[in-house]
Amino acid sequence: MGSALFHDAGSLGAPARAEHSRFVQRIRRRYAAELPGLPPGAVDAAAVTALVQALRDAGRGLPSALRVARQLCLERLACLDVEQAASLDTVTHGMTALAEATLELALAQALAEAEERHGVPRDAQGRRIEFWIVGMGKLGARELNVSSDIDLIYVYEDEGETDGPVPVSAHEFFALVAKKLYALIGETTEDGFVFRVDLALRPNGNSGPPVCSLPMLEEYLQVQGREWERFAWLKSRVVAPQASVASGRALALRALVTPFVYRRYLDYGVFEGLRQLHRKIRDEAQRRAAGRPERANDVKLSRGGIREIEFIVQLMLVARGGQYPEIRTRSTLKSLQRLVARGLMKPATAERLAECYVFLRRVEHRIQYLDDQQTHLLPTADADLGWIARSLGLSCRADACELLDKLGEVREFVATEFDALLHDGQAPTASPGRNGCASCGGPLPVDSELLLEKLPDELAERVRQWACQPRVTALRDASKLRLGRLVRRAADCVAEGGCTITAVLRFVDWLEPLLRRESYLALLVERPAVQVRLLRLLGMARWPMQYLMRHPGVIDELADERLQHGRFEPAVFIADLQSRHAAWERSGQANEEWLLDTLRHSHHAELFRTLVRDVERELTVEQVADDLSALADAVLAVTLRWAWALLKQRHREAPRFAVIAYGKLGGKELGYGSDLDVVFLYDDHDEDDKDRAQEVYGHFVRKLITWLTLRTSAGELFDIDTALRPNGGSGLLVTSIEAFERYQLGRGSNTAWTWEHQAITRARFCAGAPELAGHFERVRRGVLTAPRDAAALREEIHAMRDKVRAAHPVKAGRFDVKHSPGGMMDVEFAVQYLVLAHGAAHEGLLDNVGNIALLQRAEDAGLLPTGIGHAAADAYRELRRAQHLARLDEQPTHFAPEALAAHSAAVQSLWRAVFG
């Protein structure tokens, strides 16, 4: 072609018209009379069905009517896309609607013809056996392109036999239906075809039977299902008959496929499976392009093409969708949005990938409009290239082609993102040597002497002992290579000053119990930055290693860049859990087992985020306690909501129920391993049957405690202590708020002890019906402001302190930050006295603001000598800090007396000022 033609074709002066397409020209010539039969506007299933019926009414048989309808719909979509700038969704949804409507009509006729001869297929119970057309790939995702084939799998419910004059097995019957479907949809006639049909994704591929029963499919997925098939089934859905979808019977397929696609753990093992699949696709694309340079411009399969965007999304969904159902979706563009919402992808990256995807798909459609060919290669004819450019608002001239420039820019971005995700953690490829040296130039297995020679002596000795253990020697070669890569990377981190040798030795100790849990090893191999951060964390304190041994899945949180400088946000946490709950409901998995694990996974992950910020000194001790307390409050609130919804005995939509926090949780001083001291109250004043309310809430509390304390495969949540409820261990697990008020305020013979009033100084409403919060706080303040004999109160609290100290003896010559004279318990008892003795006169002491603030308020109110309250508050803060740091590193919380002498002296001065 001459350059003049190229210039004219690429000029932006004349808008692109659909009639440039040879396909559109053919349709307009051949079906001019039929074109008005398609109503104006976008294509939908109703319009397609009506069009087919009109064509049949005009004398065409169903096969012809389906094919002509397809041609008319494509002509319409080409016009909308090229001339009216229709959205990508308009085109892909139109094509999907065309497929669904034509499959629905074809299936109805195929079944009718088969049943006329053989009767209705029935199972052993006499029920009609349903037959489902499962759409895979772009059809399943409602992303069908304009000249696409359709990937289908035919599934029938169960085995059985037909009840007609010529009975056959259900399998034979539905194989006949599949054959008739192909004749109606896939065969090429004088009117063309409806869709090219591809059944290669069915169990056992082209060597398997064309149809399979649900039990056959289940066995195949469980026994033979391969990693790449999980990606294929990700987008699957029943597309016909719609009656099966509407009735819910097709949900049986979803219940079978979902656990195959989405594993219950973070599944980084899929990375290698997708690598292998992608490698095959790229190799095939390169083979086809060999000697044909024009094939390098394949917008789907070439480097940086549509397939790589789809792989990025599918990889993230399959790896994480098991734990995070809220990210599950078949749509590529919706997936990108959900990955951003879950914090799994940067917003700018997702937005750019979405733009690239839309651009590449629009180019793909224009390529296919030209001749209605299933191709993704840019045309070589200048006029065609210029038309595509012009239809996208770009130019393409002999000296410069904006279309090719933009295409190159888009593909480079996509390829870079794809490589960063899929090749992260991948060692440079090295071919085995001719002499069988499998490790020469590549990663070395963990039991290789060559690897040990490259390690620091201390680490080499530990790994040598480790590698000889049966649990290591029995590992697969691939697992040994993974371990070798992790150990070598850890040694490099020491050499580069990124962590200490102590951290690496702890890392090896941490790895040992995880040898059979390959998903975690895969995660670290795939995410080198996560391993480096983990090493740094392990080097800072011992307790994180113990936590990570119990909950190894939380290491994935180290990949989240928001982790380091953030704070716990209860509203966001609760919203995320509610979103996850809604996703479990959509997938039919909102049962107790999944919900219990969801609560545990979320709590462990959020606690770990706080732990990392703590160890990296991003938070103060008070901030850590605030965040851990807020996390416990949030978990209690969500657990209460979910457990009530599943309580069979519930008698109202929402419970009038409250969880009252005492102790460390009540004072917002919760630590990592703290129990939850709680009391349960209810207020069903509008319930006529009081005994029924007590019974229902009794059932509920037992269920709630089970949900909070049960150890599942995901671990545990909390230990719960209810000893502070009225009458302690002999009292009811749940109490009406009226009975609680009578007990606390001494109305009647059954009244609270002084130590219970001490405990209520730091009690607070932490979860439940908001209307109970105010009622409880009025009761609490009534208790705190009740008249008391100050001398008797002082004597009782002093005696209680002596009793507690006697129960926790401290070795001579040591100072225990909690129990020794001058320790934290002295501060807490002193504050409790000040609140109970002076709260009525000094309202500021009634607020549950923590010991430090209350000491400062007491001094400001003149209840303590000048300087005593503030000094004791500072000392209390430092004692808490010393205790916290010791526990983080699994060290004892008693010290040499001189180490904390100044703080101890400040507390003892407080004690003398209060108790004499």
Side-chain angles (χ1 to χ4, degrees):
M1 295 273 176
S3 61
L5 176 58
F6 203 129
H7 180 84
D8 292 342
S11 170
L12 283 175
R17 307 292 299 177
E19 63 194 21
H20 177 87
S21 156
R22 271 86 66 184
F23 167 72
V24 168
Q25 293 171 23
R26 290 196 303 270
I27 298 308
R28 289 178 177 177
R29 284 195 303 269
R30 181 164 183 181
Y31 300 110
E34 288 83 0
L35 279 169
L38 181 63
V43 174
D44 60 29
V48 174
T49 303
L51 176 60
V52 171
Q53 187 58 50
L55 291 167
R56 297 191 72 181
D57 292 343
R60 292 181 180 271
L62 181 62
S64 175
L66 293 174
R67 283 156 177 76
V68 174
R70 185 257 187 194
Q71 316 291 24
L72 303 186
C73 288
L74 260 67
E75 188 272 347
R76 169 65 53 78
L77 292 173
C79 293
L80 292 175
D81 194 357
V82 174
E83 298 176 2
Q84 299 181 34
S87 69
L88 177 63
D89 278 353
T90 298
V91 178
T92 56
H93 289 183
M95 285 303 301
T96 302
L98 174 64
E100 291 174 346
T102 52
L103 284 168
E104 186 84 17
L105 294 169
L107 177 59
Q109 177 148 320
L111 284 170
E113 291 176 359
E115 288 175 9
E116 185 177 355
R117 176 171 174 76
H118 298 291
V120 175
R122 300 190 182 279
D123 62 17
Q125 287 74 43
R127 284 199 323 164
R128 172 189 280 271
I129 301 171
E130 291 199 346
F131 178 83
W132 304 321
I133 301 177
V134 182
M136 310 290 280
K138 287 186 168 63
L139 173 58
R142 297 183 173 87
E143 297 172 341
L144 210 56
N145 55 30
V146 292
S147 291
S148 178
D149 58 3
I150 51 175
D151 294 301
L152 303 178
I153 294 177
Y154 299 134
V155 179
Y156 59 96
E157 276 185 303
D158 205 350
E159 299 298 346
E161 192 174 79
T162 61
D163 60 4
V166 185
V168 293
S169 70
H171 186 85
E172 292 172 303
F173 177 85
F174 290 120
L176 176 62
V177 170
K179 187 175 180 179
K180 290 179 178 293
L181 272 173
Y182 181 78
L184 287 166
I185 296 291
E187 283 186 356
T188 301
T189 71
E190 61 178 349
D191 291 307
F193 53 84
V194 187
F195 284 97
R196 305 173 191 88
V197 176
D198 190 339
L199 303 180
L201 293 177
R202 68 188 186 273
N204 296 305
N206 290 328
S207 63
V211 298
C212 70
S213 68
L214 203 57
M216 286 168 57
L217 177 62
E218 180 175 20
E219 182 180 2
Y220 175 83
L221 294 181
Q222 289 179 352
V223 178
Q224 301 182 54
R226 291 159 289 183
E227 289 293 339
W228 69 262
E229 289 178 288
R230 295 172 62 194
F231 295 98
W233 280 96
L234 172 68
K235 294 187 175 187
S236 65
R237 67 185 175 93
V238 174
V239 296
Q242 286 300 309
S244 295
V245 178
S247 71
R249 281 179 74 170
L251 290 175
L253 178 66
R254 186 184 69 177
L256 183 157
V257 169
T258 298
F260 172 68
V261 175
Y262 297 110
R263 304 295 159 83
R264 298 187 68 159
Y265 47 83
L266 289 171
D267 189 7
Y268 274 79
V270 298
F271 275 62
E272 188 55 38
L274 190 57
R275 274 198 195 97
Q276 293 171 7
L277 177 59
H278 180 256
R279 200 173 295 128
K280 289 179 182 178
I281 291 172
R282 270 199 181 172
D283 289 348
E284 177 63 17
Q286 290 170 0
R287 185 189 64 77
R288 291 180 179 179
R292 302 184 64 182
E294 73 277 5
R295 286 192 170 272
N297 276 326
D298 187 318
V299 296
K300 179 179 180 181
L301 299 180
S302 292
R303 183 175 185 272
I306 295 166
R307 180 58 54 84
E308 292 194 352
I309 300 176
E310 293 171 340
F311 276 178
I312 289 171
V313 168
Q314 290 169 14
L315 185 58
M316 299 289 278
L317 293 187
V318 172
R320 298 166 180 267
Q323 279 199 355
Y324 305 122
E326 65 272 27
I327 69 174
R328 298 178 189 174
T329 178
R330 300 177 184 92
S331 163
T332 301
L333 293 175
K334 287 180 181 177
S335 295
L336 290 169
Q337 296 169 4
R338 294 187 182 187
L339 290 170
V340 170
R342 184 65 189 80
L344 300 174
M345 185 178 285
K346 294 178 182 177
T349 300
E351 183 177 355
R352 181 74 175 120
L353 283 172
E355 291 171 356
C356 293
Y357 179 76
V358 171
F359 175 75
L360 291 170
R361 291 297 308 273
R362 296 186 75 202
V363 172
E364 174 189 44
H365 286 160
R366 281 149 179 76
I367 291 170
Q368 295 174 349
Y369 289 140
L370 286 168
D371 296 292
D372 189 24
Q373 293 296 308
Q374 189 185 4
T375 179
H376 312 280
L377 299 174
L378 276 179
T380 55
D382 294 347
D384 291 345
L385 203 60
W387 175 76
I388 291 174
R390 205 160 63 252
S391 73
L392 293 168
L394 302 170
S395 66
C396 207
R397 303 186 304 272
D399 58 336
C401 183
E402 291 178 350
L403 172 64
L404 295 179
D405 291 344
K406 182 168 183 178
L407 189 59
E409 176 189 324
V410 163
R411 287 174 52 187
E412 186 57 36
F413 176 81
V414 172
T416 300
E417 289 298 319
F418 180 81
D419 290 344
L421 177 67
L422 203 59
H423 297 159
D424 205 2
Q426 184 82 329
T429 303
S431 299
R434 291 182 179 275
N435 296 323
C437 178
S439 58
C440 294
L444 298 167
V446 72
D447 54 0
S448 165
E449 281 296 326
L450 288 174
L451 173 66
L452 297 176
E453 290 171 6
K454 300 175 185 291
L455 304 179
D457 292 344
E458 196 173 351
L459 177 58
E461 184 57 32
R462 178 71 64 85
V463 173
R464 182 176 284 109
Q465 297 170 4
W466 192 45
C468 294
Q469 295 179 10
R471 61 191 310 178
V472 175
T473 57
L475 291 174
R476 297 181 300 115
D477 289 344
S479 299
K480 291 179 181 178
L481 282 171
R482 273 180 177 162
L483 283 172
R485 187 176 297 162
L486 294 176
V487 169
R488 178 63 186 274
R489 197 187 286 160
D492 291 344
C493 189
V494 174
E496 295 163 5
C499 67
T500 64
I501 188 67
T502 300
V504 174
L505 295 176
R506 287 177 182 171
F507 175 69
V508 172
D509 290 342
W510 175 75
L511 277 179
E512 187 171 348
L514 300 176
L515 293 178
R516 296 289 181 184
R517 304 174 75 173
E518 294 197 11
S519 60
Y520 301 120
L521 304 184
L523 186 156
L524 291 173
V525 168
E526 299 298 339
R527 308 300 292 268
V530 170
Q531 184 184 356
V532 170
R533 193 165 187 190
L534 174 62
L535 287 165
R536 194 166 69 244
L537 179 68
L538 292 175
M540 291 178 174
R542 293 175 185 271
W543 195 80
M545 185 177 83
Q546 298 301 323
Y547 190 78
L548 285 163
M549 281 184 170
R550 294 199 302 273
H551 312 297
V554 299
I555 58 173
D556 186 62
E557 299 301 321
L558 294 172
D560 191 341
E561 294 182 356
R562 303 171 303 173
L563 183 149
Q564 187 169 2
H565 302 294
R567 290 286 303 276
F568 174 63
E569 299 179 57
V572 173
F573 177 81
I574 291 172
D576 282 348
L577 277 173
Q578 287 304 114
S579 171
R580 200 156 304 147
H581 185 277
W584 287 133
E585 287 186 321
R586 287 195 300 273
S587 67
Q589 295 172 287
N591 55 48
E592 285 202 15
E593 180 184 4
W594 284 95
L595 296 181
L596 287 171
D597 283 354
T598 295
L599 288 168
R600 282 150 181 76
H601 287 308
S602 299
H603 176 261
H604 299 158
E606 198 60 57
L607 187 147
F608 182 66
R609 292 187 189 111
T610 298
L611 174 62
V612 173
R613 294 167 189 148
D614 180 9
V615 171
E616 294 184 348
R617 303 294 185 265
E618 291 289 330
L619 301 177
T620 65
V621 174
E622 288 88 349
Q623 288 174 324
V624 171
D626 284 346
D627 285 2
L628 291 178
S629 301
L631 173 59
D633 288 356
V635 171
L636 285 167
V638 174
T639 305
L640 192 156
R641 186 181 306 175
W642 291 1
W644 180 260
L646 294 176
L647 183 72
K648 294 177 182 177
Q649 298 90 345
R650 72 179 187 277
H651 61 306
R652 57 195 314 153
E653 188 64 28
R656 290 180 56 82
F657 177 87
V659 182
I660 307 301
Y662 279 73
K664 293 294 185 185
L665 178 59
K668 296 185 179 179
E669 294 183 355
L670 207 63
Y672 292 111
S674 298
D675 296 351
L676 302 190
D677 294 300
V678 291
V679 168
F680 301 112
L681 303 177
Y682 70 90
D683 181 19
D684 263 13
H685 61 270
D686 56 348
E687 175 63 49
D688 293 334
D689 187 345
K690 302 303 180 184
D691 291 338
R692 182 189 181 209
Q694 179 70 50
E695 181 182 349
V696 169
Y697 287 115
H699 282 296
F700 180 48
V701 166
R702 285 188 287 275
K703 186 181 192 72
L704 197 59
I705 291 174
T706 298
W707 274 48
L708 293 168
T709 60
L710 182 68
R711 182 174 184 84
T712 73
S713 60
E716 68 291 321
L717 276 176
F718 304 107
D719 286 327
I720 300 295
D721 191 336
T722 60
L724 290 171
R725 67 188 187 271
N727 297 306
S730 62
L732 295 170
L733 271 176
V734 60
T735 309
S736 73
I737 198 162
E738 292 87 356
F740 179 80
E741 183 173 5
R742 289 194 300 272
Y743 178 81
Q744 292 290 346
L745 294 176
R747 296 172 187 162
S749 58
N750 185 28
T751 61
W753 296 82
T754 298
W755 66 264
E756 292 176 279
H757 290 172
Q758 289 177 245
I760 210 172
T761 60
R762 59 194 328 204
R764 62 183 178 85
F765 169 91
C766 72
E771 57 268 26
L772 269 71
H775 193 162
F776 168 75
E777 185 60 19
R778 289 193 297 275
V779 173
R780 176 179 170 275
R781 288 179 178 249
V783 171
L784 301 185
T785 57
R788 288 181 176 84
D789 183 321
L793 176 66
R794 184 182 291 110
E795 185 176 332
E796 280 192 72
I797 292 179
H798 199 303
M800 179 60 69
R801 176 69 188 101
D802 290 342
K803 183 178 179 181
V804 172
R805 181 173 295 153
H808 297 85
V810 179
K811 291 182 181 179
R814 303 299 291 173
F815 174 76
D816 186 300
V817 292
K818 184 174 182 179
H819 293 291
S820 289
M824 291 189 296
M825 287 291 288
D826 285 355
V827 174
E828 293 166 4
F829 274 71
V831 168
Q832 290 163 11
Y833 171 79
L834 291 169
V835 171
L836 292 172
H838 303 289
H842 299 279
E843 191 175 352
L845 295 180
L846 301 180
D847 298 333
N848 188 349
V849 291
N851 291 316
I852 292 173
L854 288 172
L855 283 171
Q856 294 166 343
R857 291 185 183 189
E859 181 180 324
D860 295 343
L863 301 176
L864 294 171
T866 302
I868 292 293
H870 284 76
D874 292 341
Y876 185 72
R877 178 183 292 113
E878 291 305 313
L879 292 173
R880 278 184 63 191
R881 182 170 178 273
Q883 180 192 56
H884 183 73
L885 293 176
R887 287 177 172 172
L888 267 185
D889 205 33
E890 296 189 321
Q891 299 297 321
T893 56
H894 48 80
F895 301 82
E898 59 272 15
L900 297 168
H903 306 312
S904 173
V907 173
Q908 291 184 64
S909 295
L910 169 69
W911 184 266
R912 288 191 293 272
V914 173
F915 293 103

